[in-house]
Amino acid sequence: MDKFYHSVHLEPDLCKGCINCIKRCPTQAIRVRDGKARINARFCIDCGECIRVCPHHAKQAVYDKIDVLKQYEYTVALPAPSLYSQFNSLDDVEIVLNALLYLGFDDVYEVSAGAELVSEATRRYLTEHEENLPAISTACPTVVRLIRVKFPNLIPNLLPLNPPVEVAARLALMRAMEKSGLPREKIGIVFISPCPAKYTYTKMPLGTAKSEVDCVLAIKDVYQLLLPYMKVVGQDREELALSGKIGISWGRSGGEASGLFTDNYLAADGIENVIRVLEDMEDQKFTQLKFVELNACNGGCVGGVLTVENPYVAEAKLQRLRKYMPVSKSHIEGAQGSVVPWDAQVEFEPVFHLGNNMMQSLTRLNQVERLCKRLPGLDCGSCGAPTCKALAEDIVRGDRSEKDCIYFLRDSLHKLSDEVAALVLGWGADDKRDRESVRILKEYMQRISDEMALLDRGKP
Amino acid sequence: MDDKIVFTYDVPADDFSRAGEASSDVKSKLKQLGTPPDAVRKVAIAMYEGEINMVIHANGGTITVEISPRQVRMVLRDRGPGIPDVDLAMQEGYSTAPDEIRNLGFGAGMGLPNMKKYTDEMHIETELGVGTTITMTVNL
Ligand SMILES: Nc1ncnc2c1ncn2[C@@H]1O[C@H](COP(=O)(O)OP(=O)(O)OP(=O)(O)O)[C@@H](O)[C@H]1O
Ligand code: SF4
Ligand SMILES: [Mg+2]
């Protein structure tokens, strides 16, 4: 699979070519061309901002539908902790876990159980690897992708541990093979996800060669399917929960850090805030921090784009649910420890370089500076780029031309029509119009109509 | 052939909310140029310290940054009070920052030493009552 695979994509029929998404994308990955948005796969980090902001619902995420269960003889559900935060007055996670069995799964393995193992391994990492502190959490795939393309200096700070979903998937698989006696391919490990970024992770993981998650369902889909089953879960429910407060807390911003028993941490959520923290980390503005927890979504995973509840309400519900729980239920035992560490490194991907080498980049940056002085500086988005500077960068990369700026085009049209006027006004009443003048006039008229056509481009 | 590029920034006096704008702009440009990550980090750290000093100690000024494939050269020029004893100012922990500045988290007396540490060359020209010009180079 392509290393720039991403799950967020465009439904062209729904796209009206407005500028909402291009303005909001934190990596400037989107351009509108010929009236439709296009995502640059190399720049996209799957944060889901464009899905949130698109008024026409033209930005969508790839994920699986519940009927994938039919493809397997034995299926295990891996519910993200953010799933629990979607329900009103839930006081026992067992209701959700048992309802998942009614829904058709053969077993359930909480992602929060994997999270408790990651918390434990992180505590150990922080004491054993002082040279790489502060460690940056690698649970949010969007953050890891952002660092991979924008913050090469911080790659050594990435916490080299698998995210809870991967740890849970591996442990769930071992248990499933043991319980069912079936071969790997007949078992389906199905993650119930708050976001498209995690779908991308399972298809093209960073930090490990292959993910053991087979399918990804959206929390918003499963939520609806579960509601009726949750009503019929009785007192005879099975005990399926494997995690306590520490694991469940991972669903909200600050939760992962709170399981590390240190005060020297920082937790930031929301992609813009994440970027600001990474910039400051790169400039070494934080000293003495041990751990930095970053979540691309507001509020953490409870704010994932595939959830239904308002993230802040969801956070409050999670808080309430935690009250009745033990601190933690899962601990690293025996061979389990081996599923936690990364087995592949993350490599810097210099996708934002202007040229192929420093000389070419310098030339291009000079061109960008000169272009920016000529463009109007309105950042109006009519050209399909988020800012005048972004258009200038597209131009020097050879993807666009100055005439994509409507102000530029307007000036050019004015000049042409002035020249035509001057030419025609110069003709006397009984002047013999020589061939040359007529030829020039025709040429001007052609250019005017070509440029008028450019103006129309992009209109539906 | 463009074998170098020059940027000029005005650094405003006493506006902490804007301090750091110049160095972060230079950082993003260096990244676009494909400058080695370690050099980007050094320039960003050294230039930020110099920029903050201009804001706190010297009523602002101008910064000129010249980038070529061989080096990044930063010239920070202010018309502030000047530095009476450069050797003393360069000592780790020496600071004349008043309490209200210290309360903002500055004034550890580490700025100038860090500028020296993170650059390959640093030169200070200063005259009392006239101003200070600091030139720093990071080799690529
Ligand atoms: N541009 C300048 N103009 C005048 N005085 C300066 C200038 N830069 C530094 N100084 C003087 O040198 C001293 C030491 O500077 P330095 O940057 O090392 O520490 P600081 O700015 O006081 O604290 P810190 O940088 O750790 O926040 C300052 O307190 C100030 O007296
Ligand atoms: S914060 Fe959580 S929900 Fe949002 S992108 Fe990251 S992993 Fe997904
Ligand atoms: Mg200083």
Side-chain angles (χ1 to χ4, degrees):
Chain A
M1 186 153 305
D2 177 11
K3 65 181 170 184
F4 294 111
Y5 173 82
H6 60 108
S7 134
V8 176
H9 69 106
L10 182 82
E11 281 302 326
D13 291 346
L14 296 175
C15 178
K16 291 211 174 356
C18 70
I19 61 166
N20 282 296
C21 61
I22 59 174
K23 282 284 184 189
R24 185 74 171 264
C25 175
T27 56
Q28 300 197 322
I30 314 174
R31 300 288 184 275
V32 174
R33 283 188 88 159
D34 303 326
K36 301 286 174 196
R38 293 180 189 186
I39 305 174
N40 179 337
R42 293 159 59 84
F43 294 4
C44 175
I45 53 171
D46 266 327
C47 65
E49 287 298 305
C50 56
I51 297 181
R52 286 189 180 91
V53 78
C54 178
H56 314 293
H57 307 292
K59 285 285 173 21
Q60 299 185 356
V62 181
Y63 48 84
D64 301 301
K65 296 286 166 202
I66 188 79
D67 50 17
V68 289
L69 297 195
K70 290 186 211 134
Q71 294 173 15
Y72 301 94
E73 275 183 37
Y74 187 93
T75 53
V76 188
L78 306 185
S82 41
L83 174 68
Y84 312 141
S85 69
Q86 306 295 301
F87 304 100
N88 285 325
S89 57
L90 179 72
D91 51 18
D92 186 356
V93 293
E94 296 292 6
I95 299 173
V96 176
L97 303 179
N98 278 267
L100 282 166
L101 295 186
Y102 289 145
L103 186 60
F105 289 97
D106 298 289
D107 193 10
V108 188
Y109 202 106
E110 289 187 282
V111 170
S112 42
E116 292 189 345
L117 304 193
V118 180
S119 293
E120 208 173 300
T122 307
R123 292 196 288 269
R124 198 173 307 154
Y125 182 87
L126 296 186
T127 58
E128 288 170 2
H129 293 271
E130 296 208 351
E131 70 287 1
N132 291 336
L133 300 189
I136 303 172
S137 160
T138 47
C140 173
T142 290
V143 171
V144 182
R145 263 154 218 273
L146 176 65
I147 291 172
R148 171 174 82 148
V149 294
K150 280 226 149 156
F151 297 96
N153 281 315
L154 298 177
I155 290 178
N157 295 76
L158 289 171
L159 180 69
L161 302 179
N162 288 324
V165 57
E166 190 56 33
V167 172
R170 293 179 186 195
L171 298 176
L173 178 65
M174 286 182 213
R175 188 164 87 177
M177 289 176 73
E178 206 172 287
K179 270 197 195 171
S180 70
L182 291 166
R184 172 67 184 95
E185 65 276 11
K186 301 216 156 137
I187 297 170
I189 304 293
V190 183
F191 175 44
I192 301 167
S193 174
C195 66
K198 293 208 152 144
Y199 180 85
T200 300
Y201 172 86
T202 65
K203 299 300 161 203
M204 184 54 226
L206 294 178
T208 188
K210 185 183 173 299
S211 169
E212 293 296 350
V213 176
D214 299 303
C215 314
V216 177
L217 305 181
I219 283 185
K220 62 177 184 180
D221 289 356
V222 175
Y223 168 82
Q224 289 177 20
L225 298 170
L226 278 183
L227 284 174
Y229 292 115
M230 285 171 64
K231 293 203 183 93
V232 299
V233 174
Q235 286 308 321
D236 57 337
R237 61 188 75 150
E238 259 186 76
E239 270 190 40
L240 299 165
L242 290 172
S243 65
K245 282 195 174 84
I246 288 185
I248 302 289
S249 299
W250 278 65
R252 61 166 176 89
S253 173
E256 176 183 1
S258 71
L260 300 177
F261 313 142
T262 170
D263 290 331
N264 298 330
Y265 75 85
L266 172 160
D269 55 307
I271 190 71
E272 298 294 342
N273 297 327
V274 164
I275 292 172
R276 223 174 306 155
V277 167
L278 291 172
E279 292 284 358
D280 284 353
M281 272 188 84
E282 199 173 43
D283 300 349
Q284 298 188 345
K285 287 188 197 154
F286 308 121
T287 46
Q288 283 152 10
L289 272 187
K290 284 198 171 153
F291 187 73
V292 175
E293 177 188 327
L294 300 172
N295 289 287
C297 298
N298 288 330
C301 294
V302 289
V305 75
L306 301 181
T307 61
V308 273
E309 184 56 283
N310 165 325
Y312 299 97
V313 175
E315 190 182 328
K317 290 184 190 169
L318 208 55
Q319 197 66 22
R320 191 176 153 271
L321 187 60
R322 282 176 63 223
K323 260 199 350 224
Y324 309 101
M325 291 185 166
V327 175
S328 121
K329 281 190 184 168
S330 286
H331 301 279
I332 296 176
E333 285 162 25
Q336 283 187 341
S338 68
V339 303
V340 183
W342 273 4
D343 52 42
Q345 283 310 305
V346 171
E347 302 277 342
F348 172 45
E349 298 291 347
V351 299
F352 292 105
H353 289 182
L354 274 179
N356 298 322
N357 53 54
M358 181 122 181
M359 268 323 287
Q360 189 183 39
S361 296
L362 262 180
T363 308
R364 288 184 172 179
L365 188 57
N366 269 307
Q367 289 169 341
V368 168
E369 293 298 311
R370 285 193 287 265
L371 274 167
C372 284
K373 291 207 179 86
R374 287 163 55 191
L375 293 168
L378 296 172
D379 294 344
C380 72
S382 304
C383 59
T387 60
C388 298
K389 183 159 168 280
L391 175 67
E393 290 166 4
D394 291 350
I395 293 171
V396 305
R397 285 192 171 107
D399 301 336
R400 318 257 18 213
S401 98
E402 287 177 350
K403 286 187 181 150
D404 286 306
C405 171
I406 54 164
Y407 296 90
F408 217 90
L409 192 57
R410 188 179 66 182
D411 288 350
S412 164
L413 273 167
H414 274 306
K415 265 190 222 124
L416 278 173
S417 74
D418 286 351
E419 282 172 40
V420 169
L423 185 73
V424 175
L425 287 175
W427 289 348
D430 43 25
D431 212 352
K432 279 221 189 92
R433 280 153 215 174
D434 55 273
R435 278 164 184 243
E436 182 56 12
S437 299
V438 173
R439 192 191 61 75
I440 294 175
L441 181 63
K442 279 188 178 160
E443 192 187 302
Y444 278 144
M445 295 310 287
Q446 185 58 46
R447 277 164 63 189
I448 290 178
S449 79
D450 286 351
E451 296 197 355
M452 295 293 283
L454 280 181
L455 265 186
D456 288 337
R457 218 180 54 182
K459 278 195 203 142
Chain B
M1 200 61 192
D2 299 307
D3 55 1
K4 65 175 189 200
I5 190 163
V6 181
F7 298 103
T8 308
Y9 301 90
D10 279 322
V11 178
D14 294 321
D15 187 347
F16 283 96
S17 64
R18 287 186 51 195
E21 269 180 15
S23 45
S24 78
D25 189 64
V26 168
K27 186 167 91 172
S28 80
K29 289 188 158 121
L30 288 173
K31 285 186 176 184
Q32 280 191 309
L33 288 172
T35 315
D38 191 49
V40 177
R41 192 176 58 96
K42 289 178 179 168
V43 170
I45 295 171
M47 188 170 155
Y48 177 72
E49 291 287 2
E51 201 180 339
I52 292 282
N53 278 356
M54 292 169 88
V55 174
I56 298 180
H57 307 294
N59 297 314
T62 56
I63 302 181
T64 310
V65 181
E66 188 187 293
I67 308 167
S68 76
R70 279 182 303 113
Q71 56 169 231
V72 180
R73 211 171 100 97
M74 298 157 266
V75 182
L76 293 76
R77 188 173 283 118
D78 68 59
R79 294 180 176 282
I83 305 173
D85 185 340
V86 172
D87 290 335
L88 185 62
M90 286 297 296
Q91 283 179 17
E92 289 190 7
Y94 177 80
S95 172
T96 60
D99 284 347
E100 65 269 23
I101 299 284
R102 285 173 201 259
N103 289 340
L104 289 169
F106 301 103
M110 290 304 293
L112 289 171
N114 272 335
M115 287 156 73
K116 178 139 191 84
K117 180 173 152 199
Y118 286 101
T119 54
D120 293 298
E121 235 176 88
M122 168 165 158
H123 179 71
I124 303 181
E125 238 174 279
T126 183
E127 200 182 327
L128 288 184
V130 178
T132 303
T133 300
I134 301 182
T135 309
M136 297 183 282
T137 338
V138 170
N139 295 331
L140 302 182

